[in-house]
Amino acid sequence: MNRELAKLITGQIFLHACMTGMRLATPLLALQQGYSTMAVGVLLALFSVTQVFMAIPAGRFTDRHGLKPPVKISVVMACVGAGLAAVWPTFPVLCFAALATGGATGVAVIALQRHVGRMAADANQLKETFSWLAIGPAFSNFIGPFFSGLMIDHAGAMPADADGFRATFVMLTLFPLLAWLWIRNIQEKPIAPQLPEHVNSRVWDLLHEPMMRRLLLVNWLLASCWDVHTFVVPVLGHERGLSASVVGTILGSFAVASALTRVILPWIAKRLEEFRLLTGAMIGTGLIFAIYPLVDSALAMGICSVCLGVVLGVVQPMVMSTLHQITPEHRQGEAFGLRIMTINASSVLMPLMFGAAGAVVGVSLIFWVMGLAVAGGAPQAWRLRPKGQAAEHT
């Protein structure tokens, strides 16, 4: 990992940690203020809603302006969102903060992914670079909630009082500024010229390419598995009489396994192509989902969770590497935005579908149906081969 990439990853960690910290603090404050779990669910959904609508315009803006202008916008959005929550910690302001910090993260991620992809000299370096970049969210998913929790419990006169929450929001306002300190001196890459024939291009034109449709399908199936696991495991744990701390440990083991996998992924990626890793991830996920509902003990569920974390930990870097290779240079940011839009739309809608289906057919069947779907999509992942390695791409 070179120095420039390390700076970008560090900046991403601080900016993303602002959002993950807000995602812990805002629902806790809303519940303390007497709002219902339904209201809290809406509040949490708002972190993804902005990314659905902003992703494609942000991608186009990134294609035209490079790395630093969209990151500046992200820093301002995140600071305003967290800062207003510190000044006026009311429910409407918390909703605005969720929209602002969630949207800021989405815009910054698109800019960083586009820039990092252009840093790579060849396909192997592309896989390694995206593998390193994927470590950032794994760390920020720990840093943001951990330090927010400490501030909420210890910054006020008593745990979880108003001063503790205000101090938390002030701290989270500083995180994006720290991100900008790391990114502001990064040298921009040359921007691809916008030719006259590119002016009227539409985002849906990208979907005319079979490889793009295939990749988005594979990415959606695998991303949905994260949502399935997060939703179903607490329900299964409750059915089996497991305590909240045990269920939290099971989910935490998934996150740790995913993060550790991304740490060693740069070395794995040197030896295996993207389509092989994605195919293996889909088959492995299908098998784990078939077994998961059949186990009863906390230990067995924890082993399944770790295995799933290892399998799904390889997905995002390989998807990003493939997406970078199959997209025209002048539309890479737009393609990254299209990917983020589809994933976040799924994150908003899928839990609602899981809840309705679980009430009718039971949560075990959700695991099995999703396992069949993701395993059935493995042939599509196998066909995501770089040019020259497959006789047919359609």
Side-chain angles (χ1 to χ4, degrees), residues 214-227 319 342-343 345-347 350 353 370 373:
R214 220 172 277 148
L215 181 63
L216 289 177
L217 173 63
V218 168
N219 194 197
W220 174 75
L221 285 170
L222 289 167
S224 296
C225 293
W226 289 71
D227 295 326
V319 167
T342 57
I343 289 178
S346 175
S347 294
M350 293 300 280
M353 295 176 58
M370 198 65 214

Side-chain angles (χ1 to χ4, degrees), residues 205-264:
D205 296 337
L206 294 170
L207 297 177
H208 290 168
E209 290 296 325
M211 286 282 282
M212 179 65 72
R213 296 196 300 270
R214 220 172 277 148
L215 181 63
L216 289 177
L217 173 63
V218 168
N219 194 197
W220 174 75
L221 285 170
L222 289 167
S224 296
C225 293
W226 289 71
D227 295 326
V228 170
H229 187 254
T230 302
F231 175 84
V232 174
V233 166
V235 180
L236 283 178
H238 177 73
E239 290 179 353
R240 286 155 172 71
L242 303 180
S243 67
S245 61
V246 171
V247 172
T249 301
I250 293 171
L251 290 174
S253 65
F254 170 85
V256 170
S258 175
L260 292 177
T261 299
R262 289 178 176 181
V263 171
I264 65 172

Side-chain angles (χ1 to χ4, degrees), residues 89-334:
T90 62
F91 188 75
V93 174
L94 296 182
C95 290
F96 173 79
L99 290 169
T101 55
T105 301
V107 172
V109 163
I110 293 169
L112 288 166
Q113 289 173 344
R114 179 184 176 277
H115 183 87
V116 165
R118 292 163 65 83
M119 290 170 55
D122 53 42
N124 283 331
Q125 196 174 69
L126 194 64
K127 290 185 292 182
E128 293 177 40
T129 300
F130 278 119
S131 298
W132 285 117
L133 186 66
I135 295 173
F139 278 104
S140 58
N141 282 334
F142 169 77
I143 290 173
F146 177 75
F147 285 104
S148 294
L150 287 179
M151 293 291 287
I152 291 169
D153 284 341
H154 301 291
M158 62 182 63
D161 65 4
D163 290 338
F165 280 102
R166 288 180 185 274
T168 301
F169 295 138
V170 170
M171 176 193 70
L172 295 175
T173 304
L174 300 176
F175 279 9
L177 299 176
L178 293 174
W180 178 245
L181 288 177
W182 286 97
I183 296 176
R184 63 190 177 93
N185 292 325
I186 297 294
Q187 185 174 357
E188 290 276 10
K189 300 295 180 185
I191 297 174
Q194 293 289 319
L195 302 177
E197 58 266 28
H198 300 159
V199 173
N200 296 321
S201 59
R202 300 173 302 171
V203 66
W204 306 116
D205 296 337
L206 294 170
L207 297 177
H208 290 168
E209 290 296 325
M211 286 282 282
M212 179 65 72
R213 296 196 300 270
R214 220 172 277 148
L215 181 63
L216 289 177
L217 173 63
V218 168
N219 194 197
W220 174 75
L221 285 170
L222 289 167
S224 296
C225 293
W226 289 71
D227 295 326
V228 170
H229 187 254
T230 302
F231 175 84
V232 174
V233 166
V235 180
L236 283 178
H238 177 73
E239 290 179 353
R240 286 155 172 71
L242 303 180
S243 67
S245 61
V246 171
V247 172
T249 301
I250 293 171
L251 290 174
S253 65
F254 170 85
V256 170
S258 175
L260 292 177
T261 299
R262 289 178 176 181
V263 171
I264 65 172
L265 189 57
W267 290 276
I268 299 174
K270 290 180 180 179
R271 295 163 176 79
L272 291 172
E273 298 92 339
E274 295 92 336
F275 74 95
R276 296 183 189 276
L277 286 169
L278 289 172
T279 303
M282 299 190 84
I283 295 172
T285 300
L287 292 173
I288 294 168
F289 272 21
I291 298 170
Y292 220 130
L294 302 177
V295 300
D296 293 323
S297 70
L299 177 60
M301 290 180 68
I303 292 172
C304 287
S305 185
V306 169
C307 292
L308 189 65
V310 170
V311 168
L312 292 180
V314 308
V315 171
Q316 182 187 338
M318 298 304 101
V319 167
M320 299 310 305
S321 176
T322 305
L323 186 64
H324 185 89
Q325 294 179 65
I326 67 175
T327 307
E329 183 178 352
H330 67 282
R331 303 193 70 181
Q332 286 170 348
E334 191 175 7

Side-chain angles (χ1 to χ4, degrees), residues 231 350-360 366:
F231 175 84
M350 293 300 280
L352 301 177
M353 295 176 58
F354 299 151
V360 176
I366 295 175

Side-chain angles (χ1 to χ4, degrees), residues 364-382:
S364 295
L365 193 58
I366 295 175
F367 254 141
W368 290 328
V369 170
M370 198 65 214
L372 282 174
V374 73
Q380 297 299 320
W382 186 257

